[in-house]
Amino acid sequence: DKDFEEINQNPNSPETVSSALLLPNVIRSAANEIVGKSWGIGNVVVQYTAKIQFTNEDRYNWGPEGNPYSVFYNALRDVNNMINISGERGQNNYVGAAKVMKSLMYAFMTDAYGDLPYTEATKAKEGVNYPKFDRQEVIYQGILAELAEANQLLGSSSENLEGDILFQGDVMKWRKLANSLRLRALMRLSDRIDPSAAMQAIVSDPVNHPIIGSNADNAALQYLQDVPNQHYLYTTRSGSFDEYRLSTTMEGVLKAYNDPRLYAYAQPTNDSGAGILGDPDDYAGVPNGLADENAYGYSPSGDPNKGGSNYISRVGLLFSCLTCSEHASPVGFQTMLISYSEVQFILAEARERGFISVGDASVYYQNGIRASFNYYESRLRIANLNTLADVIQPGEAYFSQSQVVYEGSQEEKLQKIGMQKWLALFFNGLEGWYDWRRTGIPAIQPGPAAFIATVPVRFMYPTGVQALNRDNYQAAVSVQGEDRITTRVWWDVE
Amino acid sequence: NAQSKTIGGNVTESSGGEPVVGASVLLKGTTRGTVTNMDGNFQLEVDGPESVLVFSYIGFQTLEIQVGNQNVINVSMEYSSEELSEVVVTALGVERETKALGYSVQAVDGDRFTEARETNVINSLSGRVAGVQITNSSSGVGGSARVTIRGESSLNINANQPLFVVDGVPISNSIIGSSGSGNQEVDYGNAAGEINPDDIASVSVLKGPAAAALYGSRAANGAILITTKTGRTKRGLGITINSNTTFDTPLRLPKWQDKYGQGNNGLFSFVDGAGGGLADGVDESWGPQMDQGQLIPQFDSPRDVAGYRGGDLNAPEGSTIQPTPWVSQRDNINDFFQTGVTLSNNVAIAAGSEKSNFRFSWTNLDQKGTIPNTDLKRNTLAFNGMTQITDRLTINTAVNYQRTSSGNRPSISYGTESLMYLWIWYGRQINTKSLRDYWMRGMEGRQQFNYNYNYHDNPYFNVYENTNGQNKDRVFGNVMANYQFTDNLSLMVRTGIDFFNDLRDRKRAFSTMRFPRGSYREDAVFFSERNTDFLLTYSETSKEKFSYTFSLGGNQMIQENRYTQTMAPQLLIPEIYNFTNTAVNLQVNHMVSEKRINSLYGFGQMSYNNILFLDITGRNDWSSTLPINGNSYFYPSATLSGIVSDMISLPEAISFFKLRAAYAEVGNDTDPYSLTNVFNPGIAWGSVQTKSESNRLANAELKPERTGSLEFGTDIRFLKGRLGLDFTYYDNRTRNQIIPIELDIATGYASRIINAGEIQNYGMEIIVNGSPIQRANGLIWNVSANFTRNRSRVLELTEGLDTYSMVGRNGATIQARIGERMGNIYGRGFERVSDPNSEYYGQIIHNTTGTPLTATTLVKQGNYNPDWMLGIQNNFNYKRLTFGFLFDIRYGGIVVSRTKTIGSTSGQLEETLLGRENGYDLSVEGNGIISPGVIRTSDGSFIPNTIKISSRDWHNRYYERSNVEAAMYDASFIKLREVTIGYNLPGGALQKLPFQEARLSLVARNLALWTENPHFDPETMSMSGATLIPGVEDMAFPSTRSIGINLNLKF
């Protein structure tokens, strides 16, 4: 019956592939999920934006979150395949890149959910159908170890990284990403574990531990001109884009700081008639957490006849959809995984708190701020929004104003770092929320129609897990605490 | 033949002397025959005095009369007290007397499909056969029907349908999904639904594995055997014309409110339909009260620059919109639907001689849907021929060619491509007619004109520009040779094929919401299945006591599938739908698969004294889809029946009493390529290609599935057959099912294919036939009822798992849990006080601002299967007049409705007037809602809710999208499924006309519906890919009521 065996050979798809064919999809899946979460929840929960329609997210009426869990573990299967396939072939660059992506995804997931399947995850082929949940501490140990390993692996073999849609095969940038992610992770855990030795080891040895050193090193996915690889919001409907508006929290800070990122992050209200660029007065936000009609009918001036979407700023043109604006660009907006700016803020805080002894906190701080402005200027130019790019750089007065200048008590300085980091982390996945949960900067107040009295600090596990891995799920809940959005994850020390 | 002569005569029924119309008169031992006309008369050429005429008619005893010297033979037929002459088609096309069968088979006569007809012929079985559940998909013209027999035995929700067989050869009943690449689903129908009703002679439903055991693998869920018409009983030339015209209207549309128009909090004013005006980006009806004399700028209000409407956003800058009256448009949605017209015309020519006969038929179906610009055309050519080449060799052939085409089939499900999605978000003040002229002035072909530019597509633009077309060519049929070696030994060899090419094209115009630069897509679907089989039969029927038949057969099946999807995701130039007009790289999806099954089987039928019957079968299959060292599987069946009434003497009232029992095993294989994991293609990143390993973990060690079935039944006739009762009890167990069992994706895989699970289905079927009235004056009332009650239980899944999610949609998940029924729907419900000691036990919990809360855990909400089903057919005959009607009743079960959920949040449905009796000002009486239930205070205790919240807020939170409990209706219904009133023209009238017989009928399908919910027909389901999801209404199109006429002429 040899014939039958041939008939049942799948003629459509191969049984093995090279890592070069797996890497693009891993990067794209991870990036799209991160930016999607950023738009859907991240920007809202830390009050960059507020919702005027379908207000559930903004009112903390959150249910079980299917993603990033599902998308990431799905991508981790191919990460695993990359490690296996390239591991056998001695392709260390691919293995290193795979481990960086793996760590990036696990960190993002555990920050969102807490404890997760890790040591026993992605092992169905080996017969592990019900993986146990590991404590977040264990997961982070693994992440830190694998990032360090990736730093060693990357560059230790000579194959070209093909299919690298993130860095176009630049292995050094992968190393920088690995080490920068380590810095982020070490800072995240800093209330639990003293990060000093590990951080110092990185920053004191830039040759062996290169980190992201400029915006050119940013781990940002650059989208393409053509469908279906345009930026995340480009093909959305204008109605969906318009549901998310500038939050009064963000508006208040940007205006109080005279921060020109207002022009990048938001658009003048329709009512102002200002077009794509206006005076600060032409921009207005809406408070977070209002009930449906109030959210949609909100009037910044208090005049009920001047309420509604016309009087509220949309999110910036850089992020805009094709049908939202004639100025929309498919390539201006990138998905940011970690930026130079963020790394500088991490170093500023680390230096300020004495975790590292290299460099000057105020320089890191300044670099972080300027990197953000530079970044937005360059993105706006790429999106052909030169009118906005021309006004995005702040004058020196910006840096000398009391709320920005790097002066004051350590607490005040940390507050300033936190505020600038918050301002720069707009649309950076859920990083703004994760960092807020650690620092409490800025102060976030639940809206008047919020379902619970505190800001959520966690995602609930996906519904499916309860049925498909119930015993382990229950064990995890009994260790970590109830599966609620108010239960703190391990690193989140009260 | 010198002695041949023509015999004439008349057939009447014995009790009243009324003519028997349509009785079969056959020359014994030949295929020559005729039927009696409207007056009971017949004429037939016979060979001589030795010839014997066989008179038969359903419900009467068969009569044999030797011709002798007579030239006129008048007979009087007795109503039959037994079902002696009832013959049904069983597995492999073998005709058997029902008396001899040890299992339940139900036959439906071909006339049932033609008079009051359905475009999807499967729907015509609804309510007619016990144990069979048919569910319509309400997805436009010729949408899919889902058939299950005796419950659902497989955890794979797609594997619960029976096998369809035409003239002994299996045909495809595939559903090929069409979503993806940014497109929503289109229901192109299930393949078996395309069979042409005019060519069906009869349908036999083999309900269990025992009946279908010889079909093996694919008939574990029963088989539906369709026999097409032949020229067999025709002597000379006969022409039949059937013409059917029906008018279709929506059976039930949602009940809309007619008080408030579009907007938010009582406000609305149009500027750009995208938030530029006063709440004009809101696509919900929480706006100003209508019919108050208010003037408001609207999308169809004129601008102060002539020729431009409000919604013409390309109007000269600075032009303003002139306010127009804000009035309700009660029928703005209902009037969009049109009266659909279905024309079906058939011409059939049949001719026969002693040695050969044929039938040729052409049918033209031309349907215009109730949704504008949707249609379905189907031309069917059917040829059936038989010729006796020698005394021993007979050749039969049946070939059907069909061309199905449609300019547009509607997009379904939830999203902008679906019209029902639009309606559920529509504004109650919108004058839909203003949208008919759907281009912006001066931007024809490039920019649609609409009432909203935020979320939606103009409905006319949608149906006229964004079409889902189809052209499908299909051929199915077979060639069969029978060779009679001796009187006892014969050989049949047959080869049959079903193949089709289906080309589906989708056009999306510029400015479509989901495709701002348009798109064009073609899906090319190819399917082919070839079955070649033989059957060697030895039979001994002449013996006094014992008679027997033994057969040995084999079959080879080869199935091939090809699917190519090509998409231009963005067009260069508007209105050119051609791949050369793509603006970017084409996207291609391509899949082929092949599968073979070789089989050998044998069966024996033994009877003793014509009162005891024993059948045994055995079949072995070899499937290419299973591991090479384990691809062979054998399964047996045995059935026994006894005519008790012929063994012992029973009270006179019992005229016939039969008992039967059957046991069968059936094995089953799986889909091709289930043994090894592969890397599937992903969407390219520019020129960078990408792959991803399948998230379904293959299994190299699969074993065949097994279904075991036990069935008992009895058939009792009372009062000389005027009352009949057929009762069946069955218990089926399916084990070792090959299913992709779900995994937590944290394992890296979403599912793994394993042998798992054991599902039990048990239940009863009761068929009652009665003739309460049989008057001498010709008045006859026949009634037949089919009762079905099926229960299922999940006995086993796999180690470590007690829940299996089969499919889900809109928060409703169909789960199999150990110890529970199949078809249970799980979903989130309201958070309720769970402490039975609390005085508030069971009440809905609210947060501190008085908003109802949705629980986060999944709770069983109900089951989509009915508790029982009952079909009641009544037929009245009085002379030339017939009147029949069919009630179809389903009791129990739930349906989860997205129409309810979304229509409540969008303020569209009638009941959303709650809490806004006098507008939106909460300080005014009648406004706002104090949601019934309790508030959970910060310390966890409960107090009654006294907080009033706005109607919109309440509706949005009460009908949370994830809340299945709030979206649920009882799916019980009673449908007046069919009504026919027929009149056979009298012979006198016919003499002046060129035809021998003429029958005119008024026909109606789905005439009336009684059910709990006011918004939609609960007989519905949704579709995801090629999966039909029962129990979930996902913006279903309204089902249709059709009324029309049927004219049947015989020349």
Side-chain angles (χ1 to χ4, degrees), chain B residues 518-578:
Chain B
S519 75
Y520 181 61
R521 167 177 160 183
E522 281 184 2
D523 292 9
V525 182
F526 170 82
F527 170 88
S528 147
E529 178 174 318
R530 279 169 286 158
N531 279 280
T532 304
D533 63 332
F534 74 90
L535 194 66
L536 185 66
T537 302
Y538 182 84
S539 65
E540 180 58 76
T541 52
S542 58
K543 292 273 167 49
E544 193 70 1
K545 293 256 175 195
F546 278 104
S547 61
Y548 51 85
T549 301
F550 292 105
S551 298
L552 180 71
N555 187 85
Q556 183 185 50
M557 189 215 62
I558 301 174
Q559 197 183 81
E560 289 173 283
N561 284 282
R562 268 204 303 277
Y563 176 81
T564 311
Q565 178 193 313
T566 313
M567 176 137 180
Q570 195 173 305
L571 301 178
L572 210 52
I573 294 159
E575 298 184 298
I576 306 289
Y577 297 102
N578 186 293

Side-chain angles (χ1 to χ4, degrees), chain B residues 658-737:
Chain B
K658 168 184 154 184
L659 286 174
R660 57 180 192 258
Y663 181 77
E665 287 266 328
V666 174
N668 203 356
D669 63 348
T670 185
D671 296 328
Y673 321 133
S674 298
L675 307 180
T676 49
N677 256 49
V678 292
F679 289 83
N680 292 322
I683 291 168
W685 179 267
S687 59
V688 180
Q689 299 300 325
T690 180
K691 303 232 181 255
S692 174
E693 192 194 358
S694 165
N695 66 8
R696 171 173 293 188
L697 193 57
N699 184 343
E701 274 138 33
L702 288 177
K703 296 189 295 256
E705 297 186 353
R706 304 295 289 193
T707 300
S709 157
L710 193 59
E711 171 180 335
F712 301 100
T714 182
D715 181 354
I716 314 179
R717 310 284 167 110
F718 303 93
L719 308 171
K720 298 188 173 169
R722 282 185 68 172
L723 180 64
L725 171 76
D726 190 296
F727 176 88
T728 305
Y729 176 84
Y730 59 88
D731 186 338
N732 298 344
R733 292 178 196 225
T734 307
R735 57 188 191 280
N736 271 349
Q737 299 193 14

Side-chain angles (χ1 to χ4, degrees), chain A residues 87-334:
Chain A
E88 277 174 24
R89 299 179 190 176
Q91 296 172 325
N92 291 348
N93 289 336
Y94 280 113
V95 176
K99 291 194 175 221
V100 172
M101 288 310 296
K102 178 181 172 184
S103 305
L104 176 94
M105 286 189 272
Y106 269 114
F108 190 90
M109 265 200 294
T110 185
D111 291 345
Y113 296 103
D115 298 353
L116 288 170
Y118 181 70
T119 52
E120 293 188 354
T122 62
K123 289 189 170 154
K125 264 190 180 163
E126 289 133 74
V128 184
N129 297 319
Y130 306 102
K132 69 164 196 213
F133 284 60
D134 292 297
R135 291 292 289 155
Q136 186 175 58
E137 188 177 2
V138 174
I139 298 169
Y140 259 112
Q141 279 167 8
I143 290 169
L144 288 167
E146 283 205 295
L147 286 171
E149 193 193 345
N151 179 49
Q152 300 297 324
L153 286 168
L154 285 156
S156 69
S157 62
S158 59
E159 87 279 6
N160 288 330
L161 269 186
E162 285 169 40
D164 173 13
I165 63 174
L166 185 61
F167 293 129
Q168 284 68 49
D170 188 333
V171 174
M172 178 53 81
K173 284 186 180 171
W174 280 100
R175 288 186 72 189
K176 290 176 175 176
L177 172 58
N179 293 315
S180 302
L181 288 173
R182 274 181 78 200
L183 290 175
R184 180 197 266 180
L186 291 164
M187 184 59 83
R188 183 89 79 235
L189 310 186
S190 60
D191 290 343
R192 282 281 184 197
I193 297 172
D194 181 3
S196 305
M199 276 193 169
Q200 179 67 19
I202 295 169
V203 296
S204 62
D205 184 4
V207 174
N208 290 312
H209 296 103
I211 60 172
I212 292 173
S214 73
N215 276 333
D217 293 341
N218 284 347
L221 183 63
Q222 174 61 56
Y223 289 92
L224 308 179
Q225 283 285 348
D226 290 343
V227 283
N229 293 305
Q230 298 145 324
H231 80 65
Y232 175 71
L233 290 168
Y234 189 70
T235 49
T236 199
R237 292 176 293 170
S238 67
S240 305
F241 184 78
D242 286 355
E243 288 162 12
Y244 296 81
R245 300 292 176 118
L246 177 64
S247 154
T248 47
T249 307
M250 177 78 139
E251 176 203 1
V253 174
L254 290 171
K255 285 185 177 174
Y257 283 43
N258 287 316
D259 193 315
R261 278 173 291 193
L262 178 64
Y263 311 126
Y265 292 174
Q267 299 178 44
T269 64
N270 271 0
D271 178 63
S272 72
I276 70 169
L277 175 65
D279 295 327
D281 286 349
D282 296 330
Y283 296 79
V286 57
N288 288 85
L290 300 180
D292 294 62
E293 285 131 315
N294 300 337
Y296 196 84
Y298 178 73
S299 164
S301 61
D303 176 353
N305 292 322
K306 295 190 166 182
S309 56
N310 259 338
Y311 298 86
I312 310 295
S313 289
R314 290 183 169 89
V315 174
L317 272 177
L318 183 62
F319 313 97
S320 182
C321 67
L322 170 63
T323 55
C324 307
S325 166
E326 55 185 316
H327 301 290
S329 157
V331 294
F333 172 33
Q334 300 175 314

Side-chain angles (χ1 to χ4, degrees), chain A residues 28 56 78 239 293 310 470, chain B residues 276 454 683 692 748 802 950 960:
Chain A
R28 175 171 51 194
N56 273 342
D78 282 327
E293 285 131 315
N310 259 338
R470 185 164 61 192
Chain B
N454 240 357
I683 291 168
S692 174
D802 52 17
S950 77
E960 202 67 72

Side-chain angles (χ1 to χ4, degrees), chain B residues 76-137:
Chain B
S76 169
M77 293 182 79
E78 296 274 346
Y79 286 102
S80 72
S81 57
E82 302 172 8
E83 55 168 359
L84 288 177
S85 58
E86 286 175 26
V87 167
V88 290
V89 178
T90 65
L92 305 179
V94 178
E95 289 191 2
R96 305 276 307 273
E97 283 185 26
T98 51
K99 178 183 176 180
L101 296 177
Y103 46 79
S104 163
V105 177
Q106 229 176 320
V108 180
D109 191 55
D111 294 346
R112 290 291 175 209
F113 303 99
T114 50
E115 205 166 31
R117 61 176 67 215
E118 289 269 351
T119 303
N120 184 325
V121 71
I122 303 305
N123 288 329
S124 295
L125 289 171
S126 245
R128 298 203 191 278
V129 187
V132 176
Q133 183 179 352
I134 314 270
T135 311
N136 269 307
S137 64

